[in-house]
Amino acid sequence: MNHIDNIYDAVLDGDMGVIPESVQTALNANVPAADILKEGMIAAMEEVGRLFEEGEYFVPEMLIAARAMKIGLDLLKPYLIDSGVDPVGKVVVGTVQGDMHDIGKNLVSMMLEGAGFEIIDLGIDVPPANFVEAVREGVDILGLSALLTTTMPSIQDTIQAIEQAGLRDNVKVMIGGAPVTAEYAQQIGADGFAPDAGQAVTLAKSLL
Ligand code: B1M
């Protein structure tokens, strides 16, 4: 089995004992970090989602797969981030109210940090009022993530709360997450949508 397959299997099985060694072995063998991430970890998470939909995996399996992926991501972080870049802008990120998914949001934060942005991460299940407070303190971009169709309306609620606070002209709003689309972004008055972490960086730069 090749290095990527080992990582894919470790995430799929939620094997937290195996993941550090399999990621390190792949890095030592000069497998690019971007390939480990995309073909190993993200591909495995997509399969986890498919198995959940089919009723073969349940929430505990999703959870341990997510934990394994987080351990792997921590190891990859130094390889995905260039250090010593001057901050090009300040971004507040968070997963919207009602939503506990944070792997995509963490990945977006990591890539933005690597591109020189300063990141303030408000975490998961963030109420609109907390985003409003962060924007009030002065940031360039607000990044909202949602992974559930049922929490997508919380993105709109957050944008409306920022409008009601009279702060909408002070900040650019970018949104993303598996169910989110460019059409939805336009419909609810966000400034942009990115389908993945790489494109989130391009978008953030274009918004400044
Ligand atoms: Co959940 N879950 N989950 N889950 N989970 C999904 C999202 C689901 C699609 C699975 C499925 O049915 N196939 C489904 C949602 C269905 C829907 O709404 N249409 C689902 C469900 C139903 C649920 C629960 C309701 C299950 C239950 O309890 N019955 C529950 C909800 C809890 C809650 O949030 N209130 C739940 C719980 C969980 C766990 C906690 C167990 C765990 C999350 C752990 C964690 O995040 N710490 C979990 C997981 C792991 C998943 C799947 C399997 C994987 C998500 C993931 O991390 N993907 C997911 C299935 C899937 O997505 N295929 C699923 C990898 C990650 C790198 O991708 O997050 O898409 P992603 O991020 C990408 C892009 O979307 C984009 O860039 C990222 C990197 O490329 N992006 C942005 C994300 N945010 C962005 C922000 C931006 C720009 C781009 O700008 C700011």
Side-chain angles (χ1 to χ4, degrees):
M1 228 194 314
N2 72 28
H3 297 300
I4 300 272
D5 289 344
N6 286 337
I7 292 162
Y8 179 96
D9 286 349
V11 172
L12 191 62
D13 298 340
D15 200 333
M16 289 175 258
V18 164
I19 192 91
E21 197 191 325
S22 52
V23 170
Q24 198 54 58
T25 307
L27 289 170
N28 293 346
N30 293 324
V31 179
D35 292 355
I36 296 177
L37 178 64
K38 202 164 173 220
E39 292 163 28
M41 296 185 193
I42 292 182
M45 279 311 238
E46 279 165 9
E47 179 62 4
V48 169
R50 198 189 64 76
L51 291 170
F52 177 74
E53 262 172 44
E54 291 196 343
E56 267 191 61
Y57 269 23
F58 297 94
V59 171
E61 283 87 359
M62 282 209 286
L63 202 54
I64 58 167
R67 285 194 190 141
M69 176 150 177
K70 278 189 176 178
I71 293 171
L73 267 184
D74 283 345
L75 276 168
L76 277 191
K77 190 172 176 180
Y79 297 84
L80 296 170
I81 289 186
D82 297 330
S83 54
V85 189
D86 285 337
V88 293
K90 206 190 235 188
V91 186
V92 165
V93 294
T95 304
V96 295
Q97 189 161 40
D99 202 317
M100 310 294 173
H101 296 85
D102 68 354
I103 295 177
K105 182 261 299 166
N106 294 346
L107 202 48
V108 168
S109 303
M110 210 183 268
M111 300 294 272
L112 285 172
E113 203 183 325
F117 286 89
E118 180 186 345
I119 304 296
I120 300 164
D121 188 345
L122 299 186
I124 55 172
D125 189 18
V126 181
N130 293 17
F131 285 117
V132 170
E133 275 323 297
V135 170
R136 203 186 295 286
E137 282 170 25
V139 295
D140 301 299
I141 298 174
L142 175 61
L144 304 173
S145 179
L147 260 288
L148 299 169
T149 43
T150 49
T151 57
M152 281 170 67
S154 296
I155 301 180
Q156 189 170 15
D157 294 345
T158 304
I159 294 176
Q160 280 171 355
I162 285 162
E163 273 165 11
Q164 280 158 13
L167 297 167
R168 185 63 186 92
D169 292 338
N170 300 10
V171 70
K172 298 287 184 191
V173 180
M174 60 186 265
I175 69 174
V180 179
T181 61
E183 292 69 37
Y184 183 71
Q186 202 174 13
Q187 191 189 318
I188 64 168
D191 297 299
F193 155 79
D196 60 38
Q199 292 183 61
V201 171
T202 311
L203 173 63
K205 284 181 177 166
S206 76
L207 288 175
L208 282 185

